[in-house]
Amino acid sequence: MVSPVISSIYLDRLDKFIEQALMPAYNRGARRTPYRPYMRLWQRACRLEQRGKREAGRALRKQMQALPSRDPADPGYRRLRYCRYADDWLLGFTGPRQEAEQIKACIGQFLRDQLKLELSPAKTLITHGRTQAARFLGYEIVVLHADDKHDHRGHRSINAAIGLKVPADVIRAKCKPCLHHGRPIRRTERIADTDFSIVAQFQAEFRGVAEYCKLAFNRHRLGRLKYVMERSLTKTLARKYRIRAAPVYRRYRAVLATEHGPRRGLQVTVHRDGGRPPLVAHWGGISLARDTTPAVLNDDPPRIWSGRSELVQRLLADACELCRLQGPGRGTPHPCPQRPQLHGAQAPTRMGHADGYPPPQDPRRLPRLPRGHPHRAPSKAATMSTGEPDATEIGHVRFGGGAGGKGPGQLAPRRRPTLPPAWFGGGAGGKGPGQGHLAGGRLHAAGGPGKPAGSNPGRAPRSDPTIAAMPSSGSPGRWRQACACPGNGPPRPGG
């Protein structure tokens, strides 16, 4: 929506240049002069009919139908029309090609000098309306000609009139998602949706194309698109229920009431409780006849005043807008019955508040690490909660096992910032289990039984707020990590 507005603002000077400079210079003449060969045949036919020779006069009038009544090359008649939408614009000119090229050069010079823009040679074309079609806003614009189309007076009615057509490639492009080797197929990506959603989506897509092309005189060409989409719709529903397409027609067929009379189609009804009207989605009932009825554009719709209060008043209301529960402040979460409850893998962690949502002073909501992640502890290990309101169970640090990794282990949650899982061993022989706890924001590890804390290889040196990983001397294939606390210098590589 922003691009058309910006284009209209910037190209307003182009509109004024064409309307105030080019159109007055190239518009002249009130009407074309009569075509002389046509007028001669008309005079001869009138004289023959006055003498009673009606058959000869009728033959001359048939010859007149093959000639224009007005001079197509009248040098005193010129017309220039202009239309623009966003950055796409179209000029319709009645006159010789030489003058059309002059108009194109004038517009190109104005855009280059005044607006610092360049015309695209691939898109700025000069086409003859009677032999070629000009593409504009998804339509093909042509000049109509049919000598056999007459009005109530017997005059040719559509010659030299402007007609809009639906391009054939547009219809093919709309049919392509529903075709495979030229035959309609199901839309497998929509099988998981409900019947109501599938029918409503197909109907919305077809209605959008049909309503946009309602001004085209060949709108009936969309019958091919309707057939393809209807077959794709029934095959999608058939695939959903593992049945054939014929039972789908028998299950959902209905007679739809439209402004053009009853029409056959498909309909899905979803009944609701509480005396509410059912939800209805239908397919079909859209006429493909040309509709040139001018629609009324309401540029000044009525203003609607909502009952929503200001933000400050909503914050000072001290009540939940979902359940209207009076109680603690707006910023304090509470168990709201209207809030969706998550279960399983989507359930939030239960550390902090009772409902699992993080407290307001800690807005960082880090998700759980997925299964198989290298920084996540094994799922068979037990968990331990510290009960601190700002701790979130997002990772684990494993303790236990000596250099041989034989001692049992315990898990404890880490405080933010999150660190990779660290493995702390027991004594040098790997006999005693290690112990670990989270106190005051620092990780501490104690050696196995019978070993002083200073001589335990698994002890975490409190030297640096980072984790230093190094190969263990007791097991070449095992990596252990030493935890460091701030303020004690660089880490020691031996433990």
Side-chain angles (χ1 to χ4, degrees):
M1 296 301 295
V2 178
S3 178
V5 175
I6 297 177
S7 301
S8 298
I9 294 174
Y10 193 72
L11 296 179
D12 179 68
R13 297 168 61 184
L14 175 64
D15 300 344
K16 295 180 178 179
F17 170 73
I18 295 178
E19 294 174 355
Q20 299 175 5
L22 291 182
M23 294 181 67
Y26 285 92
N27 283 337
R28 59 178 182 266
R31 194 177 183 183
R32 284 191 178 98
T33 59
Y35 192 45
R36 289 185 177 275
Y38 180 86
M39 296 305 297
R40 293 194 189 99
L41 290 178
W42 180 76
Q43 293 175 359
R44 289 176 55 186
C46 289
R47 287 195 295 264
L48 290 175
E49 291 174 353
Q50 291 176 359
R51 297 175 185 175
K53 300 179 180 180
R54 297 186 179 274
E55 294 296 334
R58 190 177 295 109
L60 291 178
R61 291 190 179 274
K62 287 184 179 181
Q63 297 180 17
M64 292 167 53
Q65 296 294 317
L67 298 176
S69 60
R70 299 286 173 173
D71 188 3
D74 184 7
Y77 181 84
R78 295 289 184 270
R79 283 293 181 272
L80 180 63
R81 306 297 185 189
Y82 172 66
C83 178
R84 181 182 63 82
Y85 176 79
D87 58 343
D88 295 331
W89 50 274
L90 178 71
L91 284 172
F93 179 64
T94 301
R97 184 182 180 88
Q98 182 179 1
E99 296 183 12
E101 294 178 351
Q102 295 177 1
I103 295 173
K104 177 181 176 181
C106 292
I107 295 176
Q109 183 178 1
F110 175 82
L111 293 176
R112 183 169 50 255
D113 298 342
Q114 301 296 329
L115 301 180
K116 309 303 179 183
L117 299 175
E118 293 290 340
L119 289 177
S120 174
K123 296 182 179 180
T124 309
L125 307 175
I126 299 178
T127 58
H128 195 277
R130 290 185 178 272
T131 58
Q132 296 177 345
R135 296 293 293 267
F136 185 64
L137 300 180
Y139 279 98
E140 286 186 349
I141 302 179
V142 297
V143 177
L144 301 179
H145 183 86
D147 293 332
D148 55 344
K149 300 292 184 180
H150 299 84
D151 56 9
H152 64 281
R153 301 174 300 175
H155 297 173
R156 289 171 291 180
S157 57
I158 68 172
N159 283 358
I162 301 299
L164 302 179
K165 295 176 57 179
V166 181
D169 57 344
V170 172
I171 300 178
R172 288 194 296 267
K174 297 297 181 181
C175 294
K176 186 176 180 181
C178 303
L179 291 176
H180 181 68
H181 295 302
R183 301 183 61 182
I185 59 172
R186 61 180 181 269
R187 300 293 297 271
T188 310
E189 69 276 8
R190 302 182 182 180
I191 292 178
D193 299 339
T194 61
D195 302 356
F196 184 90
S197 300
I198 295 175
V199 175
Q201 188 171 2
F202 272 90
Q203 177 76 353
E205 292 178 358
F206 180 73
R207 183 192 296 113
V209 178
E211 292 297 321
Y212 185 80
C213 301
K214 65 189 305 182
L215 299 177
F217 65 85
N218 67 337
R219 192 187 181 196
H220 61 277
R221 297 285 185 180
L222 295 178
R224 167 65 178 174
L225 175 62
K226 181 180 179 181
Y227 166 77
V228 171
M229 294 189 67
E230 180 176 333
R231 294 293 298 169
S232 178
L233 168 61
T234 55
K235 289 186 177 182
T236 302
L237 293 174
R239 178 61 178 175
K240 178 180 178 65
Y241 293 106
R242 298 295 194 272
I243 58 178
R244 298 178 63 86
V248 173
Y249 280 104
R250 290 194 295 266
R251 180 183 301 181
Y252 298 109
R253 62 185 177 187
V255 178
L256 309 177
T258 66
E259 59 181 1
H260 303 284
R263 297 290 186 271
R264 288 184 296 180
L266 304 177
Q267 180 173 300
V268 177
T269 304
V270 179
H271 298 281
R272 298 189 291 179
D273 299 333
R276 295 179 297 174
L279 300 177
V280 179
H282 58 266
W283 164 261
I286 299 178
S287 175
L288 297 182
R290 183 187 181 190
D291 185 8
T292 58
T293 304
V296 179
L297 298 178
N298 188 7
D299 295 333
D300 189 14
R303 298 181 180 181
I304 300 177
W305 299 92
S306 62
R308 183 174 296 179
S309 61
E310 295 293 336
L311 178 60
V312 177
Q313 298 177 5
R314 296 168 62 189
L315 293 176
L316 295 178
D318 200 16
C320 179
E321 294 184 350
L322 294 178
C323 61
R324 304 297 180 186
L325 177 65
Q326 300 286 343
R330 285 275 305 166
T332 304
H334 62 280
C336 177
Q338 300 296 332
R339 178 178 293 168
Q341 300 296 327
L342 303 180
H343 303 280
Q346 297 180 351
T349 57
R350 294 291 175 179
M351 301 188 63
H353 285 269
D355 61 348
Y357 286 81
Q361 66 270 17
D362 187 12
R364 296 173 297 177
R365 297 177 58 186
L366 301 179
R368 284 189 174 187
L369 296 177
R371 291 188 176 181
H373 196 279
H375 289 174
R376 177 170 176 167
S379 59
K380 64 181 180 180
T383 59
M384 182 178 67
S385 173
T386 63
E388 297 181 0
D390 59 345
T392 305
E393 192 175 335
I394 56 176
H396 298 84
V397 180
R398 177 155 189 160
F399 299 84
K406 296 184 178 180
Q410 296 179 351
L411 296 176
R414 294 195 307 271
R415 298 182 50 158
R416 294 189 181 89
T418 60
L419 301 176
W423 185 283
F424 294 84
K431 302 293 184 179
Q435 298 178 358
H437 62 277
L438 185 67
R442 299 181 179 180
L443 285 170
H444 300 276
K451 298 292 182 178
S455 62
N456 187 359
R459 180 181 60 85
R462 308 171 188 173
S463 57
D464 188 77
T466 60
I467 292 293
M470 61 207 75
S472 173
S473 57
S475 176
R478 180 72 56 87
W479 286 78
R480 64 185 177 89
Q481 299 177 354
C483 175
C485 297
N488 292 329
R492 293 177 298 175

